Amino acid sequence: LYYLKLAEEVEPKLFGVEQQSWFEVLDREYENLQAALHWSVERGELEIALRLGGALWRFWLVRGYVSGELLWLEQAIQGIKEVKASVRAKALISAGALAYHRGDIVRAKLYCRESLALFQDLGEMQGVAYSLHRLGLIASQSSDYGAAQSLEEEALQLFKEAGDKAGIAYSLTDLAYVAMDQGEFVRARLLAEEGLAL
């Protein structure tokens, strides 16, 4: 519980201007965080495991702890269905991000689609936006540029409504990549510059 509290308190700070110092905090506690994840899965405390995964995914991704941690998170996802929808949705989108960066597009899409459905049921629009954004990345990786553009534009609109500048910048950047991949270089540059300004 101590390490779960630490992970959840640090999570939003991994996106801010002081992120480097917070990554270093988690670096120092990595073995303890890993032990907490393993303990929670092995003891059947799967909600704790899901919450840890939902809070630590960015740390794992940036530090390259993708494969092993994804397997533990997947065990928790598969092992428990009766958990708050918000907890499950966040764990699923985290697993989707890790699977995507591991190159497992099929599982990434599966997790992100399930997270999207849960976030939609909850009416949690920021979660919907991030799920759409992830699905847009997956579509782009699969060279389905029409779907990628549509998904990212929908995510962008939701990010704008929520006032989420980071989300807006992510979607603009990904739309720039989609335009670039289709040879629309002027449009790509304009989108990238708008994202950069944010």
Side-chain angles (χ1 to χ4, degrees), residues 23-110:
F23 272 101
E24 289 168 1
V25 167
L26 296 182
D27 285 334
R28 287 192 295 272
E29 296 291 356
Y30 172 65
E31 289 184 6
N32 291 320
L33 291 161
Q34 189 179 39
L37 177 66
H38 295 184
W39 178 92
S40 62
V41 172
E42 289 167 352
R43 297 292 179 93
E45 298 284 352
L46 299 181
E47 182 171 343
I48 292 174
L50 293 181
R51 288 172 60 191
L52 278 165
L56 291 172
W57 72 271
R58 180 166 166 78
F59 168 68
W60 293 338
L61 187 61
V62 169
R63 291 303 194 233
Y65 305 127
V66 176
S67 296
E69 274 67 6
L70 175 58
L71 291 174
W72 285 96
L73 181 55
E74 287 178 324
Q75 284 184 53
I77 288 169
Q78 292 162 9
I80 185 170
K81 302 294 182 190
E82 297 304 315
V83 66
K84 283 196 295 189
S86 58
V87 171
R88 185 169 180 80
K90 189 170 180 183
L92 283 162
I93 197 169
S94 300
L98 294 171
Y100 171 79
H101 285 282
R102 191 169 176 251
D104 191 336
I105 300 301
V106 173
R107 284 202 334 234
K109 185 186 277 190
L110 182 74

Side-chain angles (χ1 to χ4, degrees), residues 154-192:
E154 192 176 349
L156 177 61
Q157 185 57 43
L158 291 172
F159 284 134
K160 286 180 176 179
E161 290 171 13
D164 183 338
K165 286 186 180 180
I168 295 168
Y170 291 142
S171 284
L172 287 169
T173 301
D174 293 330
L175 283 166
Y177 279 118
V178 170
M180 186 177 69
D181 287 342
Q182 296 179 97
E184 299 174 13
F185 300 116
V186 173
R187 182 169 182 268
R189 183 184 180 114
L190 290 171
L191 289 163

Side-chain angles (χ1 to χ4, degrees), residues 143-157:
S143 301
D144 187 351
Y145 299 120
Q149 183 168 335
S150 176
L151 289 160
E152 287 294 357
E153 285 175 349
E154 192 176 349
L156 177 61
Q157 185 57 43

